[in-house]
Amino acid sequence: GAGVSQSPSNKVTEKGKDVELRCDPISGHTALYWYRQSLGQGLEFLIYFQGNSAPDKSGLPSDRFSAERTGGSVSTLTIQRTQQEDSAVYLCASRLPYLGDSYNEQFFGPGTRLTVL
Amino acid sequence: AQSVTQLGSHVSVSEGALVLLRCNYSSSVPPYLFWYVQYPNQGLQLLLKYTTGATLVKGINGFEAEFKKSETSFHLTKPSAHMSDAAEYFCAVSFFGNEKLTFGTGTRLTIIP
């Protein structure tokens, strides 16, 4: 079946511009996560959605970062006024509702590589 | 707070040799532990996980890991390395009630022909 998809795969933007990154989770997956992978910081959690609500936004690095999820499916991560330090790979993951031994088994998409010039 | 330490950012083994990638965790509550693999320009793929029950867990591609509470470790092993195992490996920890995965810094595995 189809996995988690993300678009675009690559995004090059100029400092100060806004960008939107999209994530399509696996059908039926109720939870969705955003992570960031960068050379200096490794893999960092950004935000978690359960349905359309975001109970944990603790990883968003600044108020320039926001995310939403609609229809319990697609999510968009928006970075306003991008800075060079925002350059990273942004990974999305999703998981099924908790059943049996599937606790927190997250399935990752291929990521969006963001380069801020 | 929970954390993960992966010893060795780079590990090289000969083809056919034992693979051992080390992971130690810190958690004040029972942990859930995961190993993920990342091939170049791809996302993360789950290799195996420990939640409860049997402490020796088997995953895909011949990998296995053993949860040792007394040593706070969850080392990844494979008896015989294959060229296709060359990738970056991440250990991660979570616990019940906290949705996020906390990752180690990763270990890049190189297989020597």
Side-chain angles (χ1 to χ4, degrees):
Chain A
V4 177
S5 61
Q6 294 186 243
S7 61
S9 55
N10 282 284
K11 176 72 176 179
V12 180
T13 190
E14 294 178 348
K15 178 181 172 181
K17 301 280 191 181
D18 298 352
V19 296
E20 289 188 347
L21 312 180
R22 176 187 169 107
C23 172
D24 282 89
I26 297 171
S27 178
H29 281 204
T30 55
L32 185 147
Y33 308 78
W34 284 97
Y35 293 86
R36 178 168 72 173
Q37 185 174 25
S38 59
L39 283 176
Q41 302 298 323
L43 271 158
E44 305 172 278
F45 165 81
L46 297 178
I47 187 170
Y48 151 62
F49 286 93
Q50 180 62 251
N52 293 333
S53 300
D56 189 353
K57 308 178 184 179
S58 63
L60 295 178
S62 75
D63 58 8
R64 297 186 296 105
F65 288 72
S66 62
E68 66 173 10
R69 189 179 184 197
T70 56
S73 181
V74 171
S75 176
T76 302
L77 177 69
T78 300
I79 309 173
Q80 296 179 310
R81 306 180 303 281
T82 52
Q83 303 294 314
Q84 288 183 332
E85 60 262 29
D86 300 335
S87 296
V89 176
Y90 290 82
L91 293 167
C92 177
S94 68
R95 64 153 177 84
L96 286 164
Y98 289 144
L99 290 171
D101 195 32
S102 68
Y103 182 77
N104 218 0
E105 185 172 328
Q106 298 181 22
F107 294 82
F108 282 79
T112 293
R113 181 175 298 277
L114 175 66
T115 303
V116 182
L117 301 176
Chain B
Q2 57 192 16
S3 65
V4 173
T5 301
Q6 290 185 241
L7 291 177
S9 57
H10 291 85
V11 171
S12 297
V13 301
S14 298
E15 189 175 14
L18 171 72
V19 175
L20 170 60
L21 304 183
R22 300 179 186 274
C23 173
N24 288 87
Y25 68 90
S26 172
S27 176
S28 57
V29 297
Y32 298 96
L33 295 157
F34 306 82
W35 275 100
Y36 282 86
V37 61
Q38 186 176 36
Y39 298 100
N41 299 314
Q42 295 187 25
L44 300 169
Q45 180 182 10
L46 182 67
L47 277 177
L48 48 78
K49 66 182 188 291
Y50 168 79
T51 52
T52 59
T55 56
L56 180 63
V57 294
K58 296 183 184 299
I60 61 172
N61 302 340
F63 284 93
E64 62 182 37
E66 186 171 10
F67 170 60
K68 292 187 177 181
K69 183 178 178 181
S70 61
E71 299 178 7
T72 62
S73 69
F74 190 58
H75 301 331
L76 182 71
T77 61
K78 182 174 180 178
S80 177
H82 191 273
M83 295 301 294
S84 61
D85 295 327
E88 189 149 20
Y89 292 78
F90 293 91
C91 183
V93 66
S94 168
F95 60 88
F96 189 78
N98 188 328
E99 289 291 325
K100 69 179 182 181
L101 293 174
T102 299
F103 288 90
T105 51
T107 297
R108 184 169 299 279
L109 177 65
T110 300
I111 310 298
I112 304 166

